[in-house]
Amino acid sequence: MRYNIREIAAIIRAKYDRLAEGYIDRLLTDSRTLSFPETTLFFALRTPTGDGSKYIAELYRLRVRHFVVSRCQPEFAEMKDASFLTVSNVLAALQQLAIHHRKQFNIPVVGITGSNGKTIVKELLYQLLRAEFNIVRSPRSYNSQLGVPLSVWQMNESHTLGLFEAGISQPNEMAHLRRIIAPTIGILTNIGEAHQENFTSPLQKCLEKLSLFNDCDVIIYNADDPHIVHGLEVACLLHKGLGWSRTDSEAQVFIESVRCGETATEISCTMFGMTLTYEVPFTDAASIENVIHCIALMIYLKPTALGHLQAFRELEPVAMRLEVKEGINHCHLIGDTCNSDLHSLAIALDFQLSRKGNKSLKMTVILSDILQSGLMPKVLYRKVAELFRQKKVERVIGIGRDLKTCGPAAFKTAESEFYGSTQEFIHSPSFRQFRDELILLKGSRASHFEQITERLEKKVHETILEVNLDAVVHNYNHFRSMLRPGTKIVCMVKAFGYGVGSYELAKTLQEHRCDYLAVAVADEGAELRREGISVPIIVMNPEFGSFNTLFEYRLEPEVYSFSLLNALSREAGRRGIVSCPVHVKIDTGMCRLGFHPEDMPEVCRRLKQQTGLYARSVFSHLAGSDSSEHDDFTQQQIQTYIKAADVLERELDHPVLRHILNSAGTERFTEYQFDMVRLGIGLYGISALAGSGALQPVCTLKTAILQIQEAPAGSSVGYGRKDCVTRNSRIAVLPIGYADGLDRRLGNGVGEVLVRGRRCPFIGNLCMDISMIDVTDVEAQERDEVTVFGKELSVSEIARKLDTIPYEILTSISSRVKRVYYKE
């Protein structure tokens, strides 16, 4: 659903000097997640730690033209084609717009709140009801004052059911969320200890959460919880309640029995005189309770769906914040940065116990201070100690002031140790003594347990690859100078940045306003996101097993086949994702990945049938743009591409970015730059125009002489005795071999290196870690610097000797070769 910018100005009661005409269908609060600038409205939020207005100039450069601000800045006057809507409170304006948007839809909307389980209940309901309804739901855990309006904004005319979470941490917050969500049905999952320190009593917190349901028709709740029942009575909402109970046979939903097996649980329920038994693939108590909430909701909303027993058997676990990684010394790590409270700790411990299975691993927990319980530390950690005993925890490492003070008295029966900070623990002797343990790291974000994880995960050398970042910028700007001002640039940083190192390269390109980055596989993109790279990232070869990574890290996949298109669409729908940007690949003659041109009508039909994916660009690869002998074929590819792209854009009825030129194509066929070009090998200083001299080499591979041997005439050198010296010679030994990425075919005089400015040939076969060169004619000494390739001995020259391409030389440099980045 789209709004005219004038409509929005009226809705949020904004002041403005001028309005640039335009329609809005996307709201943005995080400048790093920009995807569709032309129809985006940016809300410049001010928080204690940041000011969104600082990013307006950058967003304007990226073609965003509509902004909501709390005050106008002098520099805004220079952005003459932009709209600046001025309001007193930017967050309140965002919420007001969401309230207006919600009022446009008369459908059932489920509001879900509680201390824990909101996201899981929402996702389970989606799985159980998606065959019955077209569902809009909160992405991930968007349940805050900011997340809720962004969630509700997703609603459109096609939806028939809404599922939205609401989370609060202090009094008087729920009133705002109630107006935005306007639920017709409520679910209260539970009342736990999280954020209790901000409330005067558990009742006050319960009443605050229940206020979400003031205007609901029905409220789903656990009738066995006396605190919730009392809260409903005090709030005068009990008459709206639909309670379930495991003890009261007169309850509207009576849970007759719960029988847990090794991998599944049977739940028998009686409702309206009818008994049904459901099998679900969960065994932990929290998951069982979440499923029962879903059953109660379905009784009210869609009773016929309760007969779909197979849907319950096929429920999938909801991925939250628990990650399992392989660690050092046969350890396994479980990382959890979920709410730091007893309830979420119990869930994490259940998960840890389930992961242990029959493995002979010690159950270890590294725990930070729990700051949201509302309990005195001594009482709190006695409860934690009892929980650990129940969950069979054998070793406890407590980190934080409270744990260091109260832990020794509380954890008397377990092997335990306590530290005041993460750094104190990292520098302790115990940190180096993990072996054969299943380690749960349960810490708040403020405890920075990622520092522990990095050191416990599985993972120097005189050979280095020097990377000149100034040369990268020079090459980028050279290509930029060849393009029209509005043409975008995609920079290829796949294969570890062509061997250069992805992060530093990506960071440099981001600083110089690269429009897109591109990687080969999702893991490469995820690593860049974890390092703080925020520009859009295209994944060129997405695999079917990488969907979780793609969506989790906001990566934009290439779509090259109907099977991939269908699978991505299903997964986006399952996760409640709307308009994930994808890039449609056309095979115009390379016989590699891609749809055939005649597939375009069907591609369009399938894209229009779903809402999870949005075609952001359409592109193809040129097979021989670097060689004039293939120019006729290149022209044929381009014309085929144009026709196919025309069909796609016409059928989809929205603008789609076009790109077909790679580095060589950009140099030789600039007239076909369309909306975007892709820079790969050109960024690294390799030009398709022989002798142009316009590009600068980026990489220099260096090593040093370890030892110099005196070899009498007739001596053989290296394995296999393939090479012999014909004179008395000086043989220098280098700490670089084929395990470092040096091609073994360079041995026996094929390749050369530079020592003191002179060329010296390799002699003998290259070894795994060692190679030898003849320095007889050079006054070389041990520890002298040796250049394998660089400015005076180019990668292209080495590639020609090996009858290969520069790409192979660069990408072969192994990860054990240290990368050193520098700027002049």
Side-chain angles (χ1 to χ4, degrees), residues 495 498-499 737-743 804-815 817 819:
Y498 285 48
Y738 56 79
D740 299 294
L742 191 62
D743 197 299
T804 186
I805 55 178
Y807 298 79
E808 183 179 356
I809 305 300
L810 286 173
T811 58
S812 295
I813 306 304
S814 77
S815 58
V817 174
R819 272 68 174 169

Side-chain angles (χ1 to χ4, degrees), residues 56-190:
I56 286 177
E58 174 67 10
L59 289 168
Y60 180 82
R61 189 194 67 79
L62 296 172
R63 299 186 314 286
V64 177
R65 291 297 180 266
H66 305 290
F67 305 90
V68 178
V69 298
S70 56
R71 58 188 178 197
C72 281
Q73 307 287 351
E75 58 267 28
F76 295 171
E78 300 175 7
M79 306 175 196
K80 299 188 183 301
D81 58 340
S83 303
F84 291 95
L85 308 184
T86 306
V87 296
S88 59
N89 185 314
V90 174
L91 177 59
L94 171 63
Q95 293 176 338
Q96 185 58 44
L97 180 58
I99 290 169
H100 175 88
H101 186 67
R102 168 67 181 90
K103 290 179 179 177
Q104 310 312 304
F105 306 99
N106 184 25
I107 62 173
V109 170
V110 182
I112 307 169
T113 192
S115 297
N116 297 98
K118 298 182 289 294
T119 300
I120 295 177
V121 168
K122 177 198 70 187
E123 294 302 321
L124 293 178
L125 281 173
Y126 172 76
Q127 293 184 48
L128 292 167
L129 293 172
R130 60 188 169 189
E132 308 286 341
F133 297 92
N134 186 1
I135 299 174
V136 56
R137 70 194 196 278
S138 308
R140 298 183 291 277
S141 299
Y142 275 36
N143 56 36
S144 66
Q145 298 291 314
L146 175 59
V148 168
L150 294 177
S151 299
V152 169
W153 180 258
Q154 296 179 106
M155 296 179 76
N156 63 47
E157 298 89 341
S158 69
H159 293 128
T160 56
L161 176 65
L163 303 174
F164 298 112
E165 302 175 43
I168 52 101
S169 59
Q170 54 191 357
N172 305 316
E173 287 187 329
M174 193 62 86
H176 301 293
L177 303 186
R178 181 180 72 249
R179 295 178 62 217
I180 299 167
I181 298 174
T184 59
I185 304 168
I187 299 178
L188 181 60
T189 58
N190 54 57

Side-chain angles (χ1 to χ4, degrees), residues 236-275:
C236 299
L237 292 173
L238 194 57
H239 65 288
K240 296 183 177 183
L242 196 165
W244 59 266
S245 172
R246 298 176 67 168
T247 60
D248 182 5
S249 60
E250 300 299 317
Q252 292 147 301
V253 180
F254 175 51
I255 310 303
E256 287 192 350
S257 65
V258 175
R259 293 181 292 275
C260 292
E262 288 188 11
T263 60
T265 299
E266 283 190 354
I267 305 171
S268 293
C269 311
T270 299
M271 39 213 166
F272 304 122
M274 175 178 62
T275 299

